[in-house]
Amino acid sequence: MVAGQERPPFEPGNQLGLRHGAYSERAIAERAEQVHAALLEFLPWCADPRYSVSLQRYSQATAREQLAHEALMSAGGKVSARLLEAATSAARLAWLMGDQLGLTPAGHAKLKMLAAGATEAEASLSDLAARGRDVMQARRAADAIDVESVDEASS
């Protein structure tokens, strides 16, 4: 390349400058797909669409943490403070998100309690609605009897 000339742009998909991928959207996305697939293999209930956004974010945080951790382990003592901070931050986020998704023992217990409470509340509401229907039917029947009594009395 001649001095003063601009380098031609890299072709799409070029990874020449990629060292570890902890800051690369593409590398994180590729690893996140692997994390997501592995997670669904062990926890198929996470495939429910209501988990999709949370699971995507968890997978990305876990992917970033894995890439940063691998880079730290292969650094051979030359640890970048920025990379260490990225790994620590991603690990903390992945742990918190995993806990909220029920991927830790405590998080799983919390989810089970919430689900049980929701099921109990749903059953209670269903029972209450049924009792309400019964009361309404009894009231209508009582009103019908009162109307018949008034008609008989006036005849």
Side-chain angles (χ1 to χ4, degrees):
M1 188 162 83
V2 179
Q5 279 188 331
E6 194 173 311
R7 174 192 55 74
F10 287 115
E11 62 277 355
N14 182 299
Q15 295 186 2
L16 287 176
L18 186 67
R19 290 190 296 179
H20 48 70
Y23 307 122
S24 165
E25 287 183 33
R26 177 185 292 145
I28 291 169
E30 288 172 2
R31 181 64 66 93
E33 286 179 25
Q34 295 170 6
V35 170
H36 186 262
L39 195 59
L40 292 181
E41 185 178 322
F42 292 102
L43 304 168
W45 52 267
C46 284
D48 188 314
R50 71 184 114 181
Y51 291 103
S52 64
V53 173
S54 298
L55 202 54
Q56 178 186 10
R57 290 185 177 152
Y58 168 78
S59 297
Q60 288 171 337
T62 300
R64 180 183 303 272
E65 187 274 331
Q66 287 177 354
L67 292 167
H69 179 77
E70 290 167 5
L72 287 170
M73 293 297 101
S74 66
K78 293 180 74 178
V79 176
S80 157
R82 180 175 179 228
L83 184 59
L84 181 59
E85 185 178 312
T88 303
S89 174
R92 185 177 300 114
L93 180 60
W95 178 266
L96 289 172
M97 294 177 83
D99 186 57
Q100 290 176 352
L101 282 168
L103 305 180
T104 65
H108 185 68
K110 286 180 216 169
L111 269 184
K112 284 177 74 172
M113 286 186 350
L114 284 172
T119 302
E120 187 177 307
E122 189 175 317
S124 296
L125 287 173
S126 178
D127 293 343
L128 186 59
R131 284 197 316 220
R133 279 191 301 276
D134 294 344
V135 167
M136 293 296 289
Q137 288 173 349
R139 182 67 190 159
R140 285 187 197 117
D143 287 347
I145 291 172
D146 288 345
V147 170
E148 288 175 12
S149 301
V150 169
D151 286 344
E152 288 176 9
S154 61
S155 322

